[in-house]
Amino acid sequence: MKRIAIVAGEASGDLLAARLIRALRESFPDCQFEGIAGAEMQAAGCHTLFPLEKLSVMGLIEVLKHLPELLSIRKQLLQRWQNDPPDVFIGVDAPDFNLPLAAKLHACGIPTVHYVSPSVWAWRQKRVRKMQGNIDLMLTLFPFEARFYHEHGIAAEFVGHPLADEVSFDASRDSARQQLGLPLDAPILAILPGSRRSEVRYLAPDFLQAAQQLCQQNPDLVCVTPVVNARLREELVTLQQRYAPDLPLILLDGQSRTLMQAADYILLASGTAVLEGMLAGRLMVAAYRVHPLTAWLLRTFKLLKTQFVTLPNNLANEALVPELLQEAVTPDAVAQAVAQMMHLPTQRRDYVLQCFQRLHGELRRDASRSAARAIMGKVLKC
């Protein structure tokens, strides 16, 4: 009977880990799983030793405040698995917690796997040194990540991206619009300024003012924004009243994926949502802004090692998605970029969408089963 230690640190990792657990159970029905698990992992049969919420801490100050508890949890897990070694340890995302734990477990002779590469290929590349000799297998969501690890002497397997397994390319706009109660015959711009309060505050004022300009130029345009919770809805309403009081904005409770499928065009914060927009086959403009000090540090010390910020552009190694960053994020610049997207020449539009479709096919590899096969074949040797 196999016994697997597995740790996830937030909701997205909980979902990934749950799917991986189910895929592993297809080969090992009696396999035992224990670690730090959320509701999804527990439903898949993982015994949790600590609540997942203990690890779901973001921001420097918040982490420092909870650091003693986090270190205590890691120490307890280490002692438990040193005394009773599992067949393998799998860290799912949460690299700041999982990678040091993996290194100490590896030193005890326990095989280690990390699922979802940290963005060492994009910035702070020296972090990869801490993984050398400590991670037996890195499971990556993107092909260029696996190549990066191979170049640094770390065994890696590209398993595909779970979102590509879930999101249909160019799904029916009409079906999505009917589901959301949106008009069938109007052009729709989906506006996604981010799911975090800081992102919304940095981007929403410019996004809303740009949308107001676009609606004044094109009265038929319908602008729709999804909000993840009541707090962000209130924040967005306040920002709209202040910056774009004449904008007829429709707010949805969640349903961002369905909205992307309903939209003709998307204006959004750089992040995983841009990948989802690509997988859905929609034209996009992406923007991002961070604290001025953070931007200064990134530029001064050349910490960012990639030419592009968004994943579709990095995957294709070309500018398929217009990117507006930091000082370039202004209402006029955003409105101009979106207007250009709306009037993209047919040949260019077709080329971009063909690239999106090709990338969707490359990422669609039944990720959970691919990850399970890699673990079984390269680590568990079965």
Side-chain angles (χ1 to χ4, degrees):
M1 180 186 297
K2 298 293 182 184
R3 180 166 159 267
I4 295 177
I6 186 165
V7 171
E10 56 185 46
S12 59
D14 181 38
L15 193 58
L16 275 179
R19 291 170 179 162
L20 177 60
I21 289 170
R22 292 190 180 95
L24 287 166
R25 282 197 188 281
E26 291 177 4
S27 298
F28 303 113
D30 298 327
C31 188
Q32 293 183 348
F33 294 86
E34 66 172 46
I36 297 182
E40 296 287 341
M41 293 168 67
Q42 292 178 58
C46 182
H47 172 61
T48 189
L49 303 171
F50 297 94
L52 178 138
E53 291 73 22
K54 295 290 186 181
L55 268 60
S56 301
V57 182
M58 296 189 65
L60 178 61
I61 302 302
E62 290 80 0
V63 169
L64 289 174
K65 187 168 65 174
H66 292 88
L67 188 59
E69 184 179 29
L70 292 170
L71 293 176
S72 174
I73 290 172
R74 194 159 64 193
K75 181 178 179 181
Q76 291 177 68
L77 290 175
L78 179 62
Q79 290 175 341
R80 178 185 179 89
W81 291 329
Q82 283 176 330
N83 295 333
D84 186 11
D87 292 286
V88 63
F89 167 72
I90 305 172
V92 182
D93 213 352
D96 291 334
F97 185 92
N98 278 323
L99 290 176
L101 177 59
K104 292 182 179 181
L105 291 171
H106 192 273
C108 302
I110 298 169
T112 57
V113 175
H114 193 79
Y115 188 16
V116 184
S117 165
S119 300
V120 290
W121 44 269
W123 68 297
R124 290 173 57 203
Q125 290 190 357
K126 292 181 180 179
R127 290 177 294 168
V128 75
R129 297 175 186 171
K130 296 181 180 180
M131 303 179 214
Q132 293 169 335
N134 295 322
I135 298 296
D136 291 297
L137 180 62
M138 176 68 71
L139 300 174
T140 76
L141 306 186
F142 304 108
F144 64 81
E145 293 177 320
R147 292 193 293 269
F148 173 86
Y149 285 104
H150 293 157
E151 291 168 0
H152 288 82
I154 296 174
E157 181 94 1
F158 163 55
V159 298
H161 202 294
L163 279 177
D165 299 325
E166 297 174 12
V167 179
S168 298
F169 187 83
D170 201 19
S172 169
R173 283 175 173 80
D174 286 355
S175 297
R177 292 183 182 198
Q178 288 171 346
Q179 186 176 336
L180 298 175
L182 297 174
L184 298 180
D185 56 353
I188 292 180
L189 173 66
I191 303 173
L192 291 82
S195 58
R196 299 190 181 100
R197 204 171 183 182
S198 58
E199 289 176 326
V200 170
R201 287 180 173 176
Y202 274 129
L203 293 175
D206 297 285
F207 279 16
L208 294 172
Q209 290 176 81
Q212 184 169 271
Q213 286 186 32
L214 291 164
C215 285
Q216 289 168 350
Q217 297 163 8
N218 182 2
D220 294 332
L221 183 66
V222 176
C223 295
V224 190
T225 295
V227 287
V228 297
N229 54 45
R231 173 185 283 186
L232 280 181
R233 173 182 278 269
E234 183 180 341
E235 182 92 26
L236 204 60
V237 168
T238 301
L239 291 172
Q240 183 197 357
Q241 291 172 346
R242 179 178 177 184
Y243 291 100
D246 297 326
L247 172 65
L249 182 66
I250 298 173
L251 296 180
L252 298 177
D253 292 323
Q255 305 179 91
S256 60
R257 181 177 301 175
T258 306
L259 174 59
M260 287 186 183
Q261 294 171 341
D264 297 291
Y265 314 100
I266 306 172
L267 168 63
L268 74 177
S270 177
T272 304
V274 185
L275 176 69
E276 198 160 350
M278 181 203 82
L279 295 172
R282 300 297 183 260
L283 296 176
M284 297 171 284
V285 169
Y288 210 69
R289 180 186 281 135
V290 294
H291 190 282
L293 178 58
T294 302
W296 180 83
L297 290 169
L298 289 170
R299 290 166 175 167
T300 302
F301 296 100
K302 300 179 180 178
L303 298 177
L304 195 63
K305 301 299 182 181
T306 58
Q307 181 181 355
F308 302 107
V309 172
T310 59
L311 284 167
N313 291 351
N314 278 311
L315 285 165
N317 198 31
E318 61 176 299
L320 301 176
V321 179
E323 298 177 352
L324 298 173
L325 306 176
Q326 212 58 22
E327 300 88 356
V329 184
T330 67
D332 290 344
V334 172
Q336 182 179 5
V338 174
Q340 289 175 346
M341 170 179 60
M342 291 176 169
H343 298 95
L344 209 60
T346 302
Q347 187 175 0
R348 175 62 181 174
R349 173 190 296 262
D350 290 346
Y351 174 77
V352 170
L353 294 178
Q354 286 168 7
C355 289
F356 285 177
Q357 189 167 22
R358 173 179 57 81
L359 293 170
H360 185 287
E362 291 176 2
L363 297 180
R364 192 168 197 160
R365 299 170 66 97
D366 196 357
S368 299
R369 288 191 177 94
S370 295
R373 285 194 296 269
I375 292 169
M376 291 186 292
K378 297 190 174 184
V379 181
L380 295 176
K381 309 292 185 183
C382 56

